[in-house]
Amino acid sequence: SHGQFSFSPKLAVVSSFDINGIWAPALRIAGGKAFRPPTIYDLYRTWLSSTGWIYEGNPELEPEETWSVEGGLNNFFLNNKIRFSATGYYNRISNMIYTTTISESAKLAKKANAGRAKTKGAELELTVAPVSFWKAFANYTWTDSRIVENKTNPLSEGKQTTGIPEHVFQGGTSITWNGLLFALDGRYVSKRYNNDDNSDTVGNVYGSRDPATTFDASIGYTIKKNITLLVKIDNIADKIVFDYYRMPGRVVTGEVKV
């Protein structure tokens, strides 16, 4: 049986200003402690993937604890027509629950507690809506998440945490005019690792999580007040992308929204 009590305090301070409607900054600082118990899947689920890997649960897992601090600044310009936000954060994690590689030759991996890990990063976001019919946005996330100490697998120390990309960028624009709608979005995700020692460097194969840039588009028309015809095109360039499995190529769908 598993049972444990944890107290998770958090403190946040927010201060905002308004300078004649031209600039309205808001500053925030927060810190605290978080507690994450292992899930039923983490503890007991063992399964075989389509790539032949066996992933085992671990009934001996301990809860994960995180101390974190973050600070950020939200900026609103010209009566919210331009919004810009920046956030930085740092997390110190003990007993981090993750998947460790037991044997590559036997294709065996298991849930485990890493001794210590740390995560630091930054998030930037910009939204521009100068007129009622046009809007654009862009955001970027940088995450440096690494194992600091791991007696279960010392080869993972200093390596990037599994499943977490270092860089993510998204951007897009949309136009709505006299019932017509057009939207274009793009997304970039950098390399992610499945093996905790980051040894899975081969790309474009099943099981790999490759860096990828994809674009999606939507075209629509509102024929009546509450009826909209919409055509969506995902992965416009029909790129081959592996996110463990091979992802679908170009996909075109139609919708009627009522």
Side-chain angles (χ1 to χ4, degrees), residues 94-157:
S94 59
N95 288 331
M96 187 182 74
I97 300 170
Y98 82 117
T99 303
T100 183
T101 303
I102 303 299
S103 171
E104 284 200 53
S105 59
K107 292 188 174 181
L108 178 63
K110 185 177 183 178
K111 288 292 184 181
N113 290 111
R116 292 186 297 121
K118 65 178 181 180
T119 301
K120 58 184 177 182
E123 299 175 358
L124 303 175
E125 184 170 2
L126 174 67
T127 302
V128 179
V131 289
S132 60
F133 60 86
W134 177 65
K135 180 180 179 180
F137 77 93
N139 58 64
Y140 169 72
T141 301
W142 168 68
T143 306
D144 182 15
S145 179
R146 298 187 180 275
I147 304 294
V148 177
E149 178 187 343
N150 186 7
K151 294 180 180 180
T152 302
N153 184 5
L155 292 177
S156 68
E157 295 179 359

Side-chain angles (χ1 to χ4, degrees), residues 1-47:
S1 64
H2 287 261
Q4 191 166 340
F5 173 81
S6 179
F7 178 58
S8 300
K10 185 173 183 180
L11 176 66
V13 177
V14 178
S15 182
S16 59
F17 310 89
D18 188 343
I19 304 176
N20 297 325
I22 298 176
W23 180 31
L27 177 66
R28 65 187 187 283
I29 300 174
K33 177 190 174 187
F35 170 87
R36 185 174 83 86
T39 66
I40 296 296
Y41 277 177
D42 292 334
L43 293 168
Y44 303 114
R45 187 191 185 201
T46 295
W47 59 285

Side-chain angles (χ1 to χ4, degrees), residues 27-204:
L27 177 66
R28 65 187 187 283
I29 300 174
K33 177 190 174 187
F35 170 87
R36 185 174 83 86
T39 66
I40 296 296
Y41 277 177
D42 292 334
L43 293 168
Y44 303 114
R45 187 191 185 201
T46 295
W47 59 285
L48 174 65
S49 76
S50 60
T51 59
W53 276 81
I54 298 174
Y55 294 89
E56 294 184 345
N58 183 355
E60 302 301 322
L61 287 175
E62 295 292 330
E64 178 181 293
E65 290 189 350
T66 301
W67 285 94
S68 64
V69 60
E70 70 172 60
L73 181 65
N74 293 341
N75 295 277
F76 303 90
F77 301 94
L78 304 177
N79 292 320
N80 293 339
K81 291 182 178 180
I82 300 175
R83 302 182 183 183
F84 174 75
S85 65
T87 302
Y89 58 88
Y90 176 83
N91 300 320
R92 190 180 66 195
I93 308 166
S94 59
N95 288 331
M96 187 182 74
I97 300 170
Y98 82 117
T99 303
T100 183
T101 303
I102 303 299
S103 171
E104 284 200 53
S105 59
K107 292 188 174 181
L108 178 63
K110 185 177 183 178
K111 288 292 184 181
N113 290 111
R116 292 186 297 121
K118 65 178 181 180
T119 301
K120 58 184 177 182
E123 299 175 358
L124 303 175
E125 184 170 2
L126 174 67
T127 302
V128 179
V131 289
S132 60
F133 60 86
W134 177 65
K135 180 180 179 180
F137 77 93
N139 58 64
Y140 169 72
T141 301
W142 168 68
T143 306
D144 182 15
S145 179
R146 298 187 180 275
I147 304 294
V148 177
E149 178 187 343
N150 186 7
K151 294 180 180 180
T152 302
N153 184 5
L155 292 177
S156 68
E157 295 179 359
K159 299 297 193 298
Q160 187 173 324
T161 305
T162 55
I164 300 179
E166 184 175 1
H167 305 284
V168 176
F169 176 81
Q170 298 181 90
T173 185
S174 62
I175 297 174
T176 305
W177 182 263
N178 288 334
L180 290 171
L181 166 68
F182 172 77
L184 178 67
D185 299 300
R187 175 180 172 87
Y188 168 77
V189 180
S190 64
K191 170 72 176 176
R192 288 147 294 161
Y193 295 96
N194 294 318
N195 296 349
D196 55 353
D197 60 0
N198 295 177
S199 60
D200 49 326
T201 56
V202 177
N204 294 319

